[in-house]
Amino acid sequence: MGIISAIAEIFGFGVGISIGLVIGYFVFIFTRPTHVEDPVIPTLDELDTETLQRLLQEIPKWVKSPDHDRVDWLNKFIETMWPYLNRGICKQVKTIADPIIAEQIPQYKIDSVQFETLSLGCLPPTFTGMKVYTTGEKEVIMEPTLKWAGNPNILVAIKAFGLRVSIQVVDLQVFAFPRITLKPLVPTIPCFAKILVSLMEKPHVDFGLKLLGADAMSIPGLYSFVQGTIKEQVANMYLWPKTLEVVIMDPTKAMKRPVGILNVKVVRAMKLKKKDLLGASDPYVKLKISEDKLPSKKTTVKHKDLNPEWNEEFSITVKDPESQILDLVVYDWDKVGKHEKMGMNVIHLKDLTPEETKVLILDLLKNMDPDSVQNEKPQGQLVVEAMYKPFDDEERPPDSEDSEVQKAPDGTPAGGGLLVVIVHEGQDLEGKHHTNPSVRLLFRGEEKRTKVVKKNRDPKWDEEFQFMLDEPPSDDRIHVEVVSTSKRMGLLHPKDALGHVDISLADVVNNKRINENYELIDSKNGTVRIEMQWRTSS
């Protein structure tokens, strides 16, 4: 009877539970309200600060802050350049890290630490916004927001006490908010002398660390210790106002103004070695001063002469007479192909006594290596006269950056302006039949011409032309053509084209003034220097 009673109790409990669930289900269904209102969704201005911060955490800065710009173009650029940036950055890291590692490992009694594999992976960093400051100083300040979830492959092999251990860094994540300052701005490519990098807040750095094939970060307490150590060390070194300074060039040299002028007279050459198989050579001399971006100066070509006389004078501006050097190279002119070097030598400006003409007889060398056996054979001699004259305060030329553009004259159309084109000089101009260069300007159907300079490959015109316009020529171009003309009767080729270039005027309108050397199209190596100004009444 006890067994039967227990079975009946269990059965009754199961039946009761089942019946109760069924009854509860139907009561729940039929007692629900038939009219259900839509949920109330608050607008952003109705949310509290904590909720807004939680919602806006992942929205890019260019959405949240109107002073941050969207930089999709920069991300596209980095994505295209990343394979090359990857190799360049890794190479630079090895160059910097290897001597530091070699200096540090002896005190820890480690035999060696080497990068077996170093790659930043195929996923480039992403900039989610950038803020640029305008300070009025000669500097550019940028604050990009950087996010990088990369797949690097960094494998480091450590040897110590006869054992070899490999450590691999994987799954790297870096979120940073740096400030990048380019200063000072200088008129020499790349146009800034230093890069200063600071972190505006502590970076987030996350990565995996594999030791002997196992995830070392799974060790209790190690992950938080490594994270905290990295953040503190990086913050101590680079958190603003502390900076990482990368020197690109010496700003004192980049900003130097001319302090004097070097007058050089190329007199003659003697006993030059013949370069042509048939007949004598056609020598000319090229002059260029070190640390100067201006084109080289050249003498005329003396055809079929191994003892040529030029007696041609040149003036070259000097910024640092203690360090600058004048390079002189004698070439053999060739109508077809590359001109061949016949010899070279240099003049150290520090060896010249100011305002005293010095006659120099230079032995031409094959190259400037003092230990080269090629210099044992004589290449001839070059006779030059050189004098360095320092500027007085009154003679010092004004800094081109500080020169202001004049205002347009009275009567200039409102909203328009005066386009001024100054044709300064040409360099390395060379015609097939004669070289009597002049410049032809063509703009909006109007043509203007400079004077003709006879028999000169480096002419100086310094002529100014003006165009009165009703509106800024932002979308226009000016056609510049250099031609050589000859008025000799019966000449088979009275006109010879020396090259041309089309110059966009957008930069002139935006910057008010430009003064640049332009490479001529359809010219062997000719350039023309043109200054342009956009003058307005305001």
Side-chain angles (χ1 to χ4, degrees):
M1 290 297 293
I3 296 175
I4 294 174
S5 177
I7 294 174
E9 289 176 1
I10 294 172
F11 177 76
F13 178 77
V15 172
I17 288 296
S18 301
I19 294 173
L21 289 174
V22 171
I23 294 173
Y25 171 76
F26 281 100
V27 170
F28 175 75
I29 291 296
F30 288 106
T31 57
R32 289 185 64 187
T34 57
H35 177 69
V36 180
E37 295 182 356
D38 294 331
V40 178
I41 301 177
T43 58
L44 289 177
D45 57 347
E46 296 175 344
L47 297 176
D48 58 273
T49 304
E50 184 178 349
T51 306
L52 273 174
Q53 289 179 346
R54 188 170 63 252
L55 290 175
L56 297 178
Q57 186 174 5
E58 297 301 324
I59 294 181
K61 281 225 178 226
W62 61 269
V63 176
K64 296 185 287 186
S65 303
D67 56 352
H68 279 72
D69 298 321
R70 187 175 180 178
V71 285
D72 287 347
W73 64 269
L74 180 59
N75 293 325
K76 287 288 184 183
F77 172 78
I78 293 177
E79 182 180 358
T80 304
M81 290 289 295
W82 185 243
Y84 308 95
L85 291 172
N86 180 12
R87 290 195 290 267
I89 293 172
C90 291
K91 184 177 179 181
Q92 189 69 18
V93 168
K94 284 185 176 181
T95 304
I96 296 174
D98 285 345
I100 297 176
I101 293 173
E103 181 181 352
Q104 295 294 327
I105 59 175
Q107 57 183 319
Y108 298 103
K109 301 189 178 186
I110 298 175
D111 296 334
S112 67
V113 177
Q114 294 180 337
F115 288 100
E116 286 194 348
T117 306
L118 180 57
S119 173
L120 300 181
C122 59
L123 300 177
T126 301
F127 292 94
T128 59
M130 181 181 293
K131 181 178 180 180
V132 180
Y133 290 88
T134 302
T135 64
E137 303 293 332
K138 291 185 177 181
E139 62 181 7
V140 175
I141 300 178
M142 302 172 288
E143 288 185 356
T145 305
L146 171 68
K147 291 189 176 183
W148 183 30
N151 57 343
N153 184 13
I154 305 173
L155 185 62
V156 181
I158 302 175
K159 291 182 180 180
F161 306 107
L163 301 175
R164 183 179 181 278
V165 179
S166 296
I167 301 176
Q168 186 177 16
V169 179
V170 295
D171 300 331
L172 179 65
Q173 292 185 6
V174 178
F175 300 156
F177 185 33
R179 170 178 288 182
I180 302 172
T181 304
L182 311 178
K183 63 181 294 187
L185 302 181
V186 296
T188 305
I189 297 295
C191 299
F192 54 89
K194 295 180 182 179
I195 302 176
L196 306 176
V197 181
S198 298
L199 294 174
M200 304 309 293
E201 58 187 38
K202 290 184 179 181
H204 169 76
V205 181
D206 191 6
F207 58 89
L209 197 63
K210 290 187 176 181
L211 179 62
L212 300 175
D215 186 6
M217 288 301 183
S218 61
I219 300 175
L222 180 61
Y223 178 80
S224 58
F225 171 76
V226 172
Q227 286 282 315
T229 302
I230 291 176
K231 285 186 179 181
E232 289 300 323
Q233 290 298 323
V234 174
N236 289 337
M237 291 188 293
Y238 305 123
L239 191 63
W240 191 87
K242 297 179 180 179
T243 59
L244 169 65
E245 182 176 312
V246 180
V247 179
I248 305 300
M249 65 175 69
D250 187 350
T252 58
K253 290 186 177 181
M255 296 297 293
K256 276 186 177 177
R257 298 173 59 185
V259 297
I261 194 157
L262 177 66
N263 295 314
V264 183
K265 182 178 181 180
V266 181
V267 182
R268 63 181 179 272
M270 302 175 292
K271 301 178 182 179
L272 299 177
K273 296 301 177 183
K274 184 172 66 173
K275 295 294 181 181
D276 296 337
L277 294 177
L278 301 175
S281 299
D282 307 315
Y284 70 92
V285 182
K286 181 184 288 188
L287 306 88
K288 184 172 179 61
I289 198 166
S290 61
E291 302 177 12
D292 196 340
K293 301 297 182 182
L294 294 177
S296 303
K297 297 183 180 295
K298 295 181 180 180
T299 66
T300 56
V301 178
K302 299 298 182 180
H303 294 283
K304 299 180 180 180
D305 193 346
L306 296 179
N307 296 281
E309 290 192 17
W310 289 283
N311 293 311
E312 297 181 17
E313 298 182 3
F314 303 91
S315 296
I316 306 172
T317 55
V318 177
K319 293 183 178 181
D320 188 357
E322 292 299 317
S323 64
Q324 286 186 294
I325 298 171
L326 178 66
D327 296 313
L328 300 113
V329 184
V330 182
Y331 284 89
D332 176 25
W333 180 87
D334 195 348
K335 191 173 184 179
V336 180
K338 186 177 180 181
H339 299 180
E340 188 176 358
K341 289 182 182 179
M342 303 181 71
M344 65 182 69
N345 212 319
V346 299
I347 298 175
H348 294 268
L349 270 59
K350 64 182 180 180
D351 296 336
L352 299 178
T353 302
E355 299 189 6
E356 182 179 311
T357 301
K358 190 173 184 178
V359 180
L360 301 167
I361 302 177
L362 305 174
D363 292 324
L364 295 176
L365 308 173
K366 196 74 174 177
N367 55 62
M368 295 311 300
D369 183 0
D371 299 325
S372 176
V373 296
Q374 294 180 339
N375 292 329
E376 296 178 359
K377 296 182 179 180
Q379 305 294 324
Q381 293 178 318
L382 181 66
V383 181
V384 296
E385 297 177 5
M387 183 191 71
Y388 168 64
K389 181 182 179 183
F391 287 134
D392 297 332
D393 291 337
E394 297 180 356
E395 296 176 329
R396 189 182 305 276
D399 192 346
S400 60
E401 290 187 2
D402 298 333
S403 59
E404 296 183 358
V405 176
Q406 301 177 19
K407 290 186 177 181
D410 295 336
T412 302
L418 184 68
L419 176 65
V420 179
V421 182
I422 306 173
V423 182
H424 284 293
E425 61 182 355
Q427 291 282 345
D428 302 333
L429 304 179
E430 188 174 320
K432 294 182 180 179
H433 308 285
H434 44 79
T435 304
N436 305 313
S438 65
V439 176
R440 172 176 172 261
L441 303 176
L442 186 62
F443 177 65
R444 291 188 177 180
E446 188 175 355
E447 180 180 316
K448 297 182 182 292
R449 291 178 178 267
T450 67
K451 64 185 177 183
V452 177
V453 180
K454 293 184 178 180
K455 297 181 180 180
N456 197 322
R457 298 175 62 217
D458 301 312
K460 294 183 181 297
W461 295 285
D462 293 322
E463 295 188 38
E464 179 179 312
F465 305 94
Q466 298 182 352
F467 301 87
M468 187 69 72
L469 305 176
D470 295 329
E471 58 184 12
S474 301
D475 300 325
D476 289 318
R477 304 174 77 88
I478 186 170
H479 180 76
V480 180
E481 182 180 355
V482 185
V483 296
S484 174
T485 55
S486 180
K487 296 182 179 180
R488 291 176 58 187
M489 298 296 295
L491 189 66
L492 194 60
H493 302 282
K495 187 175 180 180
D496 206 351
L498 305 184
H500 68 275
V501 63
D502 291 316
I503 305 173
S504 173
L505 300 179
D507 288 342
V508 186
V509 176
N510 294 332
N511 300 322
K512 302 300 183 183
R513 176 182 181 270
I514 61 173
N515 187 1
E516 296 183 7
N517 284 284
Y518 296 93
E519 297 284 344
L520 294 173
I521 301 171
D522 294 335
S523 173
K524 197 165 189 179
N525 53 5
T527 62
V528 61
R529 184 164 70 89
I530 294 181
E531 177 183 349
M532 287 184 283
Q533 300 178 10
W534 175 242
R535 300 177 183 175
T536 58
S537 56
S538 58

